[in-house]
Amino acid sequence: MASILDEYEDSLYRSASVPPSRAAVGIPHSGYVNARLEKETPIFNKQRIDFTPPEKINSLVVSSNQLCMSLGKDTLLRIDLGKPDEPNQVELGRKDEAKVYKMFLDHTGSHLLIALNTSECLYLNRSVQKVRALSRWKGHLIESVGWNKFLGTETNTGPILVGTAQGQIYEAEISVSEGSLFSTNPDQYFRLVYVLEEESGPVPVCCLEIERGIEGKFFIIATTQKRLFQFVGKVPEGTEHQGFSSIFAMHADYLPSFREFPASFGFSEIAFYTPKLRSNPRSFAWMMGNGVLYGTLDYSRPDSILSEERVWVYPSDIDITVNKPISIVLTQFHFLLLLPDGVKAVCTLNGQIVFQDLFLEKFGTLTRMIKDPTVQQIWIHTEKVVFRYHVQRESRDVWKMYMNMNKFDLAKEYCKDRPECLDIVLAKEAEHCFQNKRYLDSAKCYALTQNYFEEIALKFIEAKQEEALMEFLIKKLSNLKPSEKTQTTLLTTWLTELYLNWLGILEGDPSKRNLYLDTREKFRTFLGSPKNKDCLFNNRTSIYELLASHGDTEHMVYFAVIMQDYERVVAHHCQHDEYDEALNVLSRHRDEKLFYKFSPVLIQHIPKKVVDAWISMGSRLDARNLIPALVNYSQSASTQQINEAIRYMEFCVYQLEETQQAIHNYLLSLYALCRPDSLLSYLEQAGTNPNRIHYDLKYALRLCAEHGHHRACVHIYKVMELYEEAVDLALQVDVDLAKSCADLPEDDEELRKKLWLKIARHVVQEEKDVKKAMACLSSCALLKIEDVLPFFPDFVTIDHFKEAICNSLEDYNKHIEELKREMEEATQSAKRIREDIQEMRNKYGSVEPQEKCAACDFPLLNRPFYLFLCGHMFHYDCLLQAVFPNLPAYKQAKLEDLQKKLAAAGQPSKGHHRPKDADTASLGKGQQSREQIKADIDDIVAAECVYCGELMIRSIDKPFIDPQKYEEEMQSWL
């Protein structure tokens, strides 16, 4: 094992130019672990708003990107932060000394409540310019508003809760009328539902929050100076518009659950963090006299949604009597406290102050801090300046805090996009698991880090944790790149060695049988992994050697199957006399080459099953390659075993219809050796046409002769058309067989007669049977009594031949009479022919002047023409044009030659001084030549009517349009 580790380290040194520690398997050699992180921007980035108010700022609220601020005594400024260059100013229209006490803006940014210090309340909707007084609210100093985030719209608030300075909680609803700007009373109703008290009596309701949980359950949180109350109850489905009176009514007789702290600085404030728009808050932070109570919200709890509560106690520099906190806001991982001189940000994970920001005195006293929950921006204002904080990548260092808290899953979640931080978390988690003896978990984490490979491996080896080491190597192997072939080979070989060692240890301990089976299954999964397939295949020789060195034949066979090395698998089974298993492997994988290689061995032990397997392979096997196995087997096997060879050969011949001569010859040899009856039927079924016979005739003849199968030899002689040899051999077997052979040469009467004479001689001379000899005469019409008589001995009396001689004489008489009759018929036929010729000479036809050519439809008498007995008439040239293409080639050539001769005979002589007698002789000779030429042309052209003769019959299958001109003709019709 140590040598493998050393070799692996060497490969790492060779695989990269970086130090070996950087060349960890499967991790890019980027060097980011020791890289210096770039300087990051602050999480809370402050920006001063470029805005100088004309009057001092009394109050500021923001929600859904809508900002409202109260300026001076009577001015309200509204700004849509999406369009900051278009502010909207509204006058409150107050002539008295009333001042804005607080303002409340709902989650949609549509409904603005303005509480005055004169215990009055005004309302302004985003879509209007006029402020309306809420008459039903008069007489109450409003401290807090709990908006309805579930039913509120831009025109209707839905049921909301209002907290007063006297500890009263009212339920109200404000609605904007669609017909006019407002209805008579925009405040639909205003009714008391509960009064909050502390030990001293009623106290101001500092904050109100309405949240809806699961199954229609509502949670209402209300805070006073020292207490945090929770009202929990269900509102029946469909009655949400009726408000929350039923929830408060449940607590009419007893106080709801609350949390109380002793210290107080006269007020408190609670903040919530909502991760997404229109979702429920996930955490809270309550600023009160003793510090900040913060935690998460669990809506599945029955009575209280506050969970994982912790208290952050004010540090020594915060004195609640001198510089008490003013406001609090909550982000995902921090809460921010607004102090008279600055801001402190505290991490909710560890309670540490991570950010402080001091404000200069020239800006004035800090008044309030609020957060827009929709865009996660924080606003702070004094009487004359407005600041805005942008929260940037708040979770950048959260991973480190979770890591220090041993919450590694959360730490990895928050640094999954930062590999340099993820590596640190994984290394810390791996070390933590190792220290707590969770070695397998430690191995999984170490495999994902960039820590030194050799150090981790040695760490597990020293701890004697081979199982964890295997897990580490497996994970490392899975992270390797395809190009890292050396590392892959080493890890694969090392893992194989470890698996085999571990299996060897477990196999000898019966108490660990289940663990052994589980490990064996893992090892087989490892061997069969598609990712490791190429590596295992390229190094299969080494793996085989490892398996052999451990004597693990079971996994050697399993590995060979995975590698599709079926030759090794079959050879293993054959070596261990497991012939059925070997045949099963062959049948399962159907490899023809393996069948050819192992069939000689298998057929010696399980011939029937082997032949069944061959038959199941069908035409995929070439039977010629199996003949050597069958030959070796049949030479030493019994007749019963040879029948298996015959069964396969018959399958090839009759089922697969093989035509290979070697197959048929071998089947013939098996028949000749063991099945003579099947031999003759096979030969007869093969037929007598030498061109369709697939066995070697000479080989078959020699084979049948060696084994004394005479009938088979006679059949083969007949196929070879050696009829004399067939008859000679058949006479040794059966005369009837010889007779069947003698009739075969049907076209050669001389040979047939010769063969029958052989049979007759054999019957007379060998069998000395006169009656049978006479039967031969009746069987063959070619034999006469005079042909057979020389074969009989001299002492034979004529009595035996009297009937045959008489029959022969009668036949001669009949033949003579028949010849006379034929002569008379021939004489009569000749006479009739002479009469027909004489009659034809006197036959004529009449042609009318209006007759037209049957071919060109022009008048017939204009040119030379032909008149046929059928009545059709053709011009000479029209008939020639119709007949010529259908004449045989030799007649076309002859006709062209005759036309040339005719043209030459019609030309006048060029000589002007020839003697008159010579001219006359020449003219007579030429005239006779022209007449003969014309007669020859007529014999060819006018032999028959082109419409009624054989020419029309022969052209019945000729297309109307010449195929070569078909396209041209088709285009002419378009």
Side-chain angles (χ1 to χ4, degrees):
M1 185 181 299
S3 63
I4 294 178
L5 180 59
D6 295 339
E7 187 178 352
Y8 183 75
E9 292 174 12
D10 294 340
S11 72
L12 294 182
Y13 276 101
R14 294 192 301 270
S15 65
S17 60
V18 296
S21 60
R22 294 280 178 232
V25 178
I27 303 296
H29 312 315
S30 60
Y32 59 71
V33 173
N34 296 328
R36 200 170 183 177
L37 300 180
E38 297 181 1
K39 186 176 181 180
E40 303 247 7
T41 58
I43 296 175
F44 303 101
N45 187 19
K46 184 174 67 175
Q47 175 190 8
R48 179 181 175 181
I49 304 301
D50 186 13
F51 170 72
T52 303
E55 300 180 76
K56 68 175 183 177
I57 302 173
N58 299 320
S59 180
L60 184 146
V61 290
V62 62
S63 180
S64 295
N65 239 14
Q66 301 295 318
L67 184 144
C68 300
M69 66 175 68
S70 171
L71 302 176
K73 177 182 176 183
D74 196 48
T75 303
L76 187 67
L77 187 64
R78 296 187 297 184
I79 301 175
D80 183 349
L81 297 178
K83 303 174 182 178
D85 297 332
E86 302 176 7
N88 176 253
Q89 185 171 317
V90 179
E91 300 298 329
L92 298 182
R94 302 291 296 192
K95 303 301 182 183
D96 53 12
E97 296 299 322
K99 295 181 181 180
V100 174
Y101 176 62
K102 284 184 178 182
M103 292 196 305
F104 309 94
L105 186 62
D106 79 319
H107 63 287
T108 67
S110 301
H111 305 283
L112 177 66
L113 292 174
I114 307 165
L116 304 178
N117 60 356
T118 58
S119 299
E120 294 180 85
C121 191
L122 306 177
Y123 172 75
L124 179 63
N125 189 276
R126 186 169 64 180
S127 60
V128 298
Q129 286 289 109
K130 187 176 181 180
V131 178
R132 297 290 296 181
L134 301 177
S135 58
R136 292 187 175 90
W137 297 40
K138 191 173 182 179
H140 302 283
L141 184 60
I142 307 303
E143 288 283 349
S144 57
V145 176
W147 297 104
N148 193 325
K149 294 178 287 189
F150 317 105
L151 298 178
T153 65
E154 293 183 357
T155 60
N156 189 290
T157 62
I160 60 175
L161 297 177
V162 181
T164 68
Q166 292 78 31
Q168 299 160 329
I169 298 177
Y170 286 87
E171 185 180 78
E173 183 175 358
I174 301 173
S175 178
V176 178
S177 175
E178 297 181 359
S180 60
L181 291 178
F182 291 98
S183 63
T184 305
N185 294 310
D187 48 337
Q188 302 296 309
Y189 61 87
F190 191 77
R191 55 174 174 260
L192 180 66
V193 293
Y194 202 80
V195 177
L196 293 181
E197 295 182 351
E198 292 183 357
E199 295 177 353
S200 58
V203 289
V205 181
C206 299
C207 296
L208 282 170
E209 182 74 15
I210 305 171
E211 296 298 337
R212 181 169 60 186
I214 58 178
E215 298 179 354
K217 186 182 291 187
F218 280 83
F219 297 87
I220 299 174
I221 297 176
T223 65
T224 60
Q225 298 173 3
K226 296 191 297 183
R227 292 182 178 181
L228 187 151
F229 294 88
Q230 294 185 73
F231 298 88
V232 183
K234 286 187 177 182
V235 175
E237 187 176 355
T239 63
E240 291 88 350
H241 289 279
Q242 298 178 10
F244 308 103
S245 302
S246 59
I247 297 177
F248 289 101
M250 296 168 58
H251 302 279
D253 299 331
Y254 60 92
L255 285 175
S257 62
F258 63 89
R259 295 294 307 273
E260 184 176 13
F261 289 86
S264 171
F265 44 63
F267 65 94
S268 68
E269 184 175 349
I270 191 168
F272 297 90
Y273 169 71
T274 304
K276 296 180 181 179
L277 187 65
R278 299 187 184 280
S279 64
N280 290 331
R282 291 291 180 265
S283 56
F284 74 98
W286 180 38
M287 181 186 71
M288 39 74 184
N290 290 83
V292 178
L293 176 69
Y294 62 96
T296 60
L297 300 177
D298 186 356
Y299 296 92
S300 62
R301 300 179 66 179
D303 299 325
S304 173
I305 61 173
L306 306 184
S307 177
E308 300 180 9
E309 300 174 45
R310 285 167 289 176
V311 176
W312 183 77
V313 180
Y314 297 127
S316 57
D317 59 341
I318 298 179
D319 186 352
I320 62 174
T321 60
V322 179
N323 61 338
K324 59 185 177 181
I326 302 170
S327 294
I328 185 172
V329 296
L330 180 63
T331 63
Q332 186 176 5
F333 298 106
H334 302 85
F335 61 81
L336 283 76
L337 289 175
L338 180 65
L339 302 172
D341 58 349
V343 175
K344 290 182 183 292
V346 179
C347 179
T348 57
L349 298 178
N350 56 13
Q352 300 296 318
I353 298 175
V354 297
F355 175 78
Q356 295 189 67
D357 192 10
L358 298 177
F359 287 77
L360 300 177
E361 293 183 359
K362 67 177 182 178
F363 297 136
T365 304
L366 298 177
T367 306
R368 193 171 180 223
M369 175 173 62
I370 55 175
K371 186 183 77 168
D372 186 346
T374 58
V375 294
Q376 304 296 326
Q377 291 180 348
I378 301 170
W379 298 78
I380 298 176
H381 72 92
T382 66
E383 290 184 348
K384 52 185 176 180
V385 181
V386 179
F387 296 93
R388 178 171 59 189
Y389 281 95
H390 292 276
V391 182
Q392 297 179 338
R393 296 182 59 233
E394 184 182 5
S395 61
R396 66 183 69 172
D397 295 325
V398 170
W399 64 271
K400 190 181 300 182
M401 302 173 192
Y402 279 129
M403 180 185 70
N404 294 332
M405 298 164 61
N406 292 335
K407 294 183 178 181
F408 300 108
D409 290 338
L410 290 172
K412 288 183 284 188
E413 179 67 24
Y414 285 101
C415 64
K416 58 185 178 181
D417 297 329
R418 301 171 66 185
E420 72 281 359
C421 302
L422 181 61
D423 189 79
I424 297 173
V425 175
L426 289 169
K428 182 70 178 294
E429 182 182 7
E431 186 63 29
H432 176 77
C433 293
F434 193 92
Q435 296 298 331
N436 288 275
K437 298 184 178 181
R438 292 163 48 201
Y439 297 110
L440 286 178
D441 293 335
S442 177
K444 293 176 183 178
C445 295
Y446 270 132
L448 300 174
T449 67
Q450 282 194 337
N451 289 28
Y452 300 160
F453 173 84
E454 59 275 17
E455 288 184 1
I456 299 170
L458 291 172
K459 195 171 187 178
F460 286 116
I461 293 173
E462 292 172 358
K464 298 182 180 180
Q465 295 297 322
E466 285 197 5
E467 189 176 2
L469 176 61
M470 289 164 58
E471 185 68 27
F472 171 69
L473 296 178
I474 289 171
K475 293 296 182 183
K476 274 293 186 188
L477 181 62
S478 66
N479 293 331
L480 287 177
K481 298 178 182 178
S483 59
E484 297 173 315
K485 295 181 178 180
T486 303
Q487 292 90 332
T488 302
T489 301
L490 291 172
L491 286 181
T492 302
T493 308
W494 193 0
L495 277 168
T496 304
E497 175 74 19
L498 290 174
Y499 268 121
L500 291 173
N501 286 337
W502 188 237
L503 286 171
I505 295 172
L506 296 176
E507 189 175 13
D509 190 346
S511 63
K512 297 181 179 179
R513 178 64 179 171
N514 292 334
L515 181 57
Y516 167 77
L517 294 175
D518 183 58
T519 305
R520 185 182 69 175
E521 187 62 30
K522 289 181 179 179
F523 181 43
R524 292 185 173 184
T525 303
F526 167 74
L527 293 177
S529 172
K531 186 173 183 180
N532 303 332
K533 184 176 180 180
D534 291 341
C535 177
L536 291 170
F537 181 80
N538 294 332
N539 299 278
R540 59 188 183 278
T541 303
S542 301
I543 302 299
Y544 281 133
E545 291 175 357
L546 277 175
L547 292 166
S549 66
H550 285 266
D552 195 341
T553 57
E554 178 184 2
H555 283 105
M556 182 182 292
V557 173
Y558 181 83
F559 179 69
V561 171
I562 293 175
M563 294 292 103
Q564 297 183 355
D565 190 0
Y566 302 118
E567 182 177 349
R568 185 183 293 269
V569 176
V570 177
H572 169 80
H573 288 310
C574 291
Q575 290 171 3
H576 292 79
D577 298 335
E578 298 171 352
Y579 302 109
D580 288 333
E581 289 296 327
L583 184 59
N584 289 337
V585 174
L586 290 176
S587 301
R588 192 161 51 245
H589 300 288
R590 306 173 73 83
D591 189 332
E592 299 88 347
K593 294 182 180 178
L594 294 183
F595 265 104
Y596 300 147
K597 182 172 183 177
F598 292 99
S599 288
V601 177
L602 296 176
I603 200 170
Q604 299 291 338
H605 300 88
I606 48 174
K608 185 178 185 306
K609 293 181 179 179
V610 171
V611 171
D612 290 339
W614 289 351
I615 292 176
S616 67
M617 289 286 289
S619 59
R620 294 184 60 179
L621 289 179
D622 188 348
R624 292 178 300 174
N625 296 329
L626 297 174
I627 289 178
L630 292 172
V631 170
N632 293 334
Y633 168 66
S634 60
Q635 288 176 351
S636 60
S638 63
T639 303
Q640 183 178 0
Q641 293 171 323
I642 292 177
N643 289 336
E644 295 298 329
I646 294 176
R647 181 162 70 95
Y648 180 66
M649 289 291 103
E650 288 179 337
F651 169 78
C652 294
V653 170
Y654 298 120
Q655 300 297 324
L656 301 182
E657 299 180 353
E658 285 284 355
T659 59
Q660 296 294 331
Q661 191 177 79
I663 297 173
H664 287 262
N665 287 347
Y666 183 60
L667 177 60
L668 203 64
S669 68
L670 293 175
Y671 279 151
L673 182 64
C674 297
R675 290 189 187 177
D677 296 337
S678 300
L679 173 63
L680 186 59
S681 62
Y682 164 77
L683 294 174
E684 291 175 348
Q685 187 174 354
T688 58
N689 187 347
N691 296 325
R692 297 183 179 180
I693 289 176
H694 305 302
Y695 58 85
D696 187 343
L697 288 169
K698 294 181 180 179
Y699 171 77
L701 182 61
R702 183 173 66 253
L703 192 67
C704 294
E706 288 177 357
H707 291 84
H709 302 310
H710 296 306
R711 287 184 179 273
C713 290
V714 170
H715 179 83
I716 296 171
Y717 277 134
K718 290 193 293 184
V719 175
M720 298 173 71
E721 298 184 355
L722 301 175
Y723 301 115
E724 292 190 42
E725 289 81 354
V727 170
D728 291 339
L729 185 59
L731 289 174
Q732 299 178 20
V733 179
D734 186 7
V735 174
D736 292 336
L737 180 60
K739 290 180 180 179
S740 65
C741 297
D743 282 332
L744 290 177
E746 297 178 354
D747 299 332
D748 191 346
E749 292 187 355
E750 184 179 352
L751 178 58
R752 283 173 59 200
K753 185 175 181 180
K754 183 179 180 181
L755 296 177
W756 277 103
L757 285 173
K758 283 190 174 187
I759 296 173
R761 176 180 293 179
H762 175 81
V763 171
V764 173
Q765 294 180 354
E766 300 297 331
E767 297 186 7
K768 299 181 177 11
D769 189 340
V770 178
K771 291 183 179 180
K772 189 177 289 188
M774 293 300 101
C776 290
L777 292 177
S778 60
S779 299
C780 180
L782 299 177
L783 289 182
K784 305 297 181 183
I785 184 64
E786 58 270 25
D787 298 327
V788 181
L789 285 176
F791 300 148
F792 288 96
D794 297 337
F795 57 83
V796 177
T797 60
I798 198 172
D799 294 340
H800 295 90
F801 313 111
K802 183 186 296 185
E803 183 178 357
I805 293 172
C806 292
N807 292 335
S808 178
L809 292 175
E810 289 179 359
D811 290 340
Y812 281 126
N813 288 332
K814 291 179 181 179
H815 184 59
I816 291 170
E817 293 296 328
E818 186 176 349
L819 290 175
K820 288 181 178 180
R821 186 171 60 255
E822 289 178 357
M823 290 174 63
E824 291 177 357
E825 291 177 355
T827 302
Q828 293 295 327
S829 296
K831 182 179 179 181
R832 286 195 296 270
I833 290 172
R834 285 193 295 271
E835 293 175 352
D836 290 341
I837 292 173
Q838 187 62 33
E839 185 179 353
M840 287 294 295
R841 288 175 179 174
N842 300 324
K843 197 166 185 178
Y844 65 92
S846 62
V847 178
E848 299 294 334
Q850 67 272 14
E851 294 289 348
K852 296 182 179 180
C853 175
C856 66
D857 205 30
F858 279 96
L860 185 68
L861 299 178
N862 290 347
R863 300 198 300 273
F865 64 89
Y866 287 98
L867 172 62
F868 291 94
L869 294 177
C870 60
H872 289 113
M873 293 170 279
F874 300 92
H875 288 131
Y876 166 76
D877 53 343
C878 294
L879 182 62
L880 181 64
Q881 185 177 2
V883 171
F884 186 82
N886 297 286
L887 292 175
Y890 74 94
K891 284 192 176 183
Q892 290 181 356
K894 183 177 180 181
L895 182 59
E896 290 176 351
D897 183 54
L898 289 172
Q899 288 176 329
K900 291 179 181 179
K901 288 181 179 180
L902 182 63
Q907 292 179 357
S909 177
K910 294 183 180 180
H912 298 286
H913 302 287
R914 294 178 62 185
K916 184 175 181 181
D917 294 340
D919 290 343
T920 303
S922 177
L923 179 61
K925 185 178 179 181
Q927 183 67 28
Q928 184 180 5
S929 179
R930 283 175 59 82
E931 292 298 329
Q932 183 61 41
I933 292 171
K934 286 182 178 181
D936 293 341
I937 291 175
D938 290 344
D939 290 342
I940 296 174
V941 175
E944 60 180 358
C945 176
V946 71
Y947 287 171
C948 301
E950 293 183 2
L951 178 62
M952 182 59 65
I953 297 173
R954 289 197 303 269
S955 64
I956 190 69
D957 59 344
K958 182 179 179 181
F960 291 108
I961 301 175
D962 189 348
Q964 296 180 354
K965 299 181 179 179
Y966 181 81
E967 290 294 333
E968 180 182 350
E969 183 69 22
M970 185 176 67
Q971 292 296 330
S972 67
W973 281 75
L974 296 179

